[in-house]
Amino acid sequence: MINIDINCDLGEGVGNEALIMPLISSCNIACGGHAGDNDTMMQVALLAKEHHVLVGAHPSYPDRENFGRATINISEKELKKSIHAQIGNLSLVLKSLGVRLNHIKPHGALYNDIAKDRKLAAVFLNSIEEYRKDVYLYVPYRSKIEEEALRLGFRVKYEAFADRNYNPDLSLVSREESAALIQDPKAVMNHILHMVQKGTVLTLSGKEVKIKADTYCIHGDSPATLQILMYLSQHLPKNQILIKK
């Protein structure tokens, strides 16, 4: 059997965490940038603790209006201040519950921007320097943030998206396109199987591209999230794959 990690973005206002938490192995908690506040962070962290799910911070551009999915005009100083505050607030919540911060995973436009912009990646890494030795950073394979993080001695885990289609350059298909999201549970499973068993991802163009993945993301705010996770928990073991707890 192969053990894999399934992560999910939570605390984003959907309210489905109690149903999702038993079906995943790590979660990324919104910490005030695009969604979330101290109450939601506490609620989700308590559920994670109950279900033995690893907890990560999910910081973003401070942009609730666009749910963190748009690049915004912000100074390096203000971005670092915001990221530091977001993760710091979640860390205080976790400390009060005796829960360890396992990882950091940027959200939305920030995630995509630091994947391709080396200067911005350096700014982000500078803002999380205090977590460098003890906390994993979820990064996409073959990205600028991966290169900078490894150069600076950060601990990384490679992330792939189970419910998103890829372009041949390993960027995600834009959400403005109808084929961006994969909503059919069986199609999501096949997407994961391809990556786990072959070490490649089948891109939207039909081209196979090498990919590395230590963790696979299912977005918590998609309409089919629960159905996808229930399907995976039932059918992945039939393919000799377990979601590790």
Side-chain angles (χ1 to χ4, degrees), residues 60 90 102 136 148:
S60 69
L90 177 63
N102 178 72
Y136 288 104
E148 286 299 298

Side-chain angles (χ1 to χ4, degrees), residues 111 139-143 146 158-162 164-172 191-203 207-217:
Y111 185 99
V139 299
Y141 178 58
R142 265 177 40 191
S143 61
E146 170 209 0
Y158 292 103
E159 179 181 43
F161 288 84
R164 292 289 302 274
N165 272 312
Y166 280 85
N167 295 309
D169 65 354
L170 288 184
S171 64
L172 297 174
H191 203 45
I192 292 176
L193 289 178
H194 204 101
M195 291 187 276
V196 172
Q197 295 172 344
K198 296 187 176 183
T200 61
V201 61
L202 188 62
T203 65
K207 182 180 179 181
E208 285 193 40
V209 180
K210 181 183 177 182
I211 195 168
K212 285 185 180 180
D214 300 304
T215 182
Y216 299 84
C217 176

Side-chain angles (χ1 to χ4, degrees), residues 29 41-42 45-46 55-57 89-102:
I29 302 180
M41 286 187 270
M42 179 71 74
L46 278 169
V55 173
N89 287 341
L90 177 63
S91 294
L92 287 176
V93 170
L94 297 182
K95 187 176 181 179
S96 74
L97 298 175
V99 174
R100 184 176 65 87
L101 180 65
N102 178 72

Side-chain angles (χ1 to χ4, degrees), residues 24-216:
I24 61 176
S25 46
S26 67
C27 68
N28 323 300
I29 302 180
C31 38
H34 65 292
D37 55 30
N38 278 7
D39 288 340
T40 58
M41 286 187 270
M42 179 71 74
Q43 291 164 13
V44 179
L46 278 169
L47 284 168
K49 183 177 182 179
E50 177 186 349
H51 293 283
H52 307 288
V53 170
L54 298 172
V55 173
H58 199 37
S60 69
Y61 286 124
D63 180 25
R64 287 175 174 262
E65 182 180 354
N66 296 300
F67 197 66
R69 286 186 173 149
T71 300
I72 64 170
N73 185 18
I74 185 172
S75 70
E76 292 181 6
K77 181 179 179 180
E78 286 302 310
L79 179 59
K80 286 194 288 187
K81 181 180 177 181
S82 177
I83 298 302
H84 187 267
Q86 289 178 55
I87 301 175
N89 287 341
L90 177 63
S91 294
L92 287 176
V93 170
L94 297 182
K95 187 176 181 179
S96 74
L97 298 175
V99 174
R100 184 176 65 87
L101 180 65
N102 178 72
H103 62 276
I104 296 169
K105 174 193 167 179
H107 165 81
L110 180 62
Y111 185 99
N112 294 329
D113 289 348
I114 62 177
K116 59 190 178 185
D117 185 328
R118 189 180 302 277
K119 183 180 178 182
L120 189 62
V123 171
F124 179 81
L125 291 170
N126 183 260
S127 73
I128 63 169
E129 164 62 27
E130 66 187 279
Y131 304 100
R132 178 169 58 89
K133 294 181 180 179
D134 302 316
V135 176
Y136 288 104
L137 178 63
Y138 284 8
V139 299
Y141 178 58
R142 265 177 40 191
S143 61
K144 301 303 181 188
I145 184 67
E146 170 209 0
E147 293 173 5
E148 286 299 298
L150 291 175
R151 184 179 69 83
L152 294 171
F154 281 82
R155 304 166 72 200
V156 306
K157 283 190 178 292
Y158 292 103
E159 179 181 43
F161 288 84
D163 59 357
R164 292 289 302 274
N165 272 312
Y166 280 85
N167 295 309
D169 65 354
L170 288 184
S171 64
L172 297 174
V173 173
S174 170
R175 283 181 175 269
E176 295 179 2
E177 297 187 29
S178 60
L181 288 172
I182 306 173
Q183 295 287 286
D184 177 64
K186 187 174 181 179
V188 171
M189 188 183 75
N190 289 336
H191 203 45
I192 292 176
L193 289 178
H194 204 101
M195 291 187 276
V196 172
Q197 295 172 344
K198 296 187 176 183
T200 61
V201 61
L202 188 62
T203 65
L204 194 58
S205 67
K207 182 180 179 181
E208 285 193 40
V209 180
K210 181 183 177 182
I211 195 168
K212 285 185 180 180
D214 300 304
T215 182
Y216 299 84

